[in-house]
Amino acid sequence: MDQDNNSEDDLVGPSEDASEDESLPSRPPGLSDSEAVELLWQVRAQRRQSSPELPETVTRLTAPDGSLLYLVGTAHFSDSSKKDVATTIRAVQPDVVVVELCQYRVSMLKMDEKTLLKEAKDINLDKVQQAIKQNGVMSGLMQILLLKVSAHITEQLGMAPGGEFREAFKQAGRVPFCKFHLGDRPIPVTFKRAIAALSLWQKARLAWGLCFLSDPISKEDVEKCKQKDLLEQTMLEMIGEFPALHQTIVAERDIYLTHTLRQAARCVEAPPNAQKVPAVVVGVVGMGHVPGIERNWEKDLNIQEIMSVAPPSRFGWMLRTVLKAGVIGVLGYACYRAGGGMGRALLSLPAVQSLLDNLRPLPPAAA
């Protein structure tokens, strides 16, 4: 399912805290609504720097209609990335801010650091069940393993992930008329496509590596992730081991992020006569996505291709059937040990009846 991140349903309301550093002027008495809008537009125009001095992590791209994109490449566990985001948004006073998040991860924007640290470290049964319910068994378990990686980094650094996105959300709320867009592909689609692209052996190797991740990570290591050459070298190493994984988790999301950024970088209407003027957009993405967005910026993109999820394979159907048969076998043994009366009681439970009904699903149609 294709999602338009420029629709009102996909926008996140800006921060209400807009009065700390750059307070807006109070409305003069007797000013009409249209005059107030024009005044705020002028205030933003005065604050917008025409030739800003921006951090070296910022890449500038131009759309065909003259709209500008300032792409901030970040490390997801970095204090300096938060500063880069704040500096850029304050300098260019954008019409739109786009972040590398989807609706399934938007909750991190409004959680405080303490809550996020606790959530990242606390991987419990409820989280496992929720991940499996949302993404399916294999994709859900893979999501939990990746959460474990995030928790490992969180524990090493004492820092919650996504600080640059929360900073972008806060700064966007201080810019008049600035919209805030979620620019990433929905995470269930990414996980399902990633799992489908791996062989059984690759899934096992990846899961093993994630389960036993224990290498120490320093803040200096995180800051190195903002260096393009180091990041590209790391990506090349991953391509050699899991090329299909790189394709679905990095390359396809490069395409999706490029699409949403281009959708945001369209002319806006300026008061008082709704004249079309080029937009200014700030994109906040992981540094690993910056080279791909640059490569795709002027290409014709097909989003439908990277939004589809293949139906379960015949192997997947067989695996689920074997697992269900195993559960039924355990139940049968429990019934035998418990005696006839208890066995009939167990078999009469709705959950057991449902499991029995689903034990013989129709196999997927042959391709």
Side-chain angles (χ1 to χ4, degrees):
M1 181 177 66
D2 195 6
Q3 302 234 348
D4 182 0
N5 283 282
N6 288 295
S7 68
E8 292 299 324
D9 292 340
D10 289 316
L11 297 181
V12 180
S15 166
E16 295 178 357
D17 180 12
S19 60
E20 288 185 14
D21 298 327
E22 298 181 348
S23 59
L24 298 175
S26 58
R27 178 170 176 167
L31 204 66
S32 68
D33 289 346
S34 60
E35 290 171 333
V37 168
E38 189 173 356
L39 174 62
L40 283 176
W41 191 274
Q42 291 171 357
V43 168
R44 188 181 67 173
Q46 291 169 359
R47 292 178 177 175
R48 181 177 286 171
Q49 300 174 22
S50 56
S51 300
E53 291 186 10
L54 299 176
E56 61 181 12
T57 55
V58 178
T59 300
R60 175 172 153 160
L61 298 172
T62 305
D65 64 4
S67 295
L68 295 176
L69 167 65
Y70 294 92
L71 190 61
V72 188
T74 68
H76 294 317
F77 288 82
S78 168
D79 279 330
S80 66
S81 284
K82 291 164 62 176
K83 295 175 183 176
D84 291 351
V85 169
T87 297
T88 304
I89 292 177
R90 288 171 185 164
V92 306
Q93 296 287 297
D95 298 286
V96 185
V97 171
V98 182
V99 296
E100 183 199 328
L101 288 176
C102 68
Q103 65 267 39
Y104 294 92
R105 292 176 289 157
V106 73
S107 60
M108 73 162 54
L109 293 175
K110 293 193 174 183
M111 287 186 185
D112 57 65
E113 292 283 330
K114 185 177 180 181
T115 303
L116 280 165
L117 280 169
K118 183 177 181 297
E119 287 288 319
K121 294 177 181 179
D122 182 23
I123 300 178
N124 52 37
L125 182 59
D126 288 341
K127 285 187 179 179
V128 174
Q129 291 175 334
Q130 183 179 359
I132 291 175
K133 182 178 180 181
Q134 185 181 90
N135 302 306
V137 176
M138 291 300 297
S139 299
L141 292 176
M142 192 60 65
Q143 181 180 353
I144 291 300
L145 289 174
L146 291 174
L147 283 175
K148 181 181 180 295
V149 175
S150 178
H152 170 67
I153 300 174
T154 297
E155 186 175 0
Q156 293 278 320
L157 301 179
M159 181 188 304
E164 75 274 31
F165 302 139
R166 289 187 292 280
E167 186 66 28
F169 184 66
K170 180 172 71 175
Q171 294 297 331
R174 297 175 178 172
V175 179
F177 310 108
C178 183
K179 295 180 179 180
F180 192 90
H181 288 189
L182 305 176
D184 204 359
R185 181 171 66 178
I187 197 168
V189 175
T190 297
F191 276 123
K192 288 175 182 177
R193 286 182 61 85
I195 292 300
L198 294 176
S199 67
L200 183 61
W201 173 241
Q202 287 175 322
K203 292 172 188 174
R205 287 175 59 201
L206 179 62
W208 179 267
L210 294 174
C211 279
F212 293 95
L213 177 72
S214 59
D215 295 337
I217 299 170
S218 67
K219 292 187 178 181
E220 289 74 21
D221 293 331
V222 173
E223 292 305 318
K224 288 178 183 178
C225 287
K226 294 168 63 179
Q227 301 173 11
K228 291 185 181 180
D229 54 347
L230 177 66
L231 222 356
E232 289 178 355
Q233 180 182 347
T234 303
M235 291 300 179
L236 287 173
E237 291 174 359
M238 190 172 73
I239 289 173
E241 192 167 5
F242 299 108
L245 194 64
H246 175 271
Q247 176 64 27
T248 52
I249 291 182
V250 181
E252 290 183 0
R253 288 173 60 224
D254 288 346
I255 294 172
Y256 193 92
L257 287 164
T258 304
H259 170 73
T260 53
L261 288 164
R262 290 201 316 208
Q263 290 288 99
R266 292 178 172 179
C267 283
V268 295
E269 295 182 350
N273 53 5
Q275 179 184 357
K276 295 282 187 179
V277 296
V280 174
V281 177
V282 170
V284 182
V285 302
M287 182 59 77
H289 290 292
V290 173
I293 292 172
E294 289 185 89
R295 285 193 299 269
N296 289 311
W297 185 247
E298 297 182 356
K299 293 182 180 178
D300 292 330
L301 304 176
N302 187 341
I303 300 302
Q304 295 294 341
E305 286 184 358
I306 61 170
M307 290 300 292
S308 61
V309 177
S313 64
R314 184 173 294 274
F315 172 78
W317 170 80
M318 291 175 62
L319 179 62
R320 284 194 303 275
T321 302
V322 169
L323 288 173
K324 288 178 180 178
V327 172
I328 294 299
V330 171
L331 283 173
Y333 180 73
C335 292
Y336 167 75
R337 297 288 297 179
M342 181 63 72
R344 285 190 295 273
L346 281 172
L347 290 173
S348 67
L349 291 174
V352 177
Q353 290 290 329
S354 176
L355 196 59
L356 288 169
D357 290 341
N358 292 327
L359 180 58
R360 294 181 296 275
L362 291 174

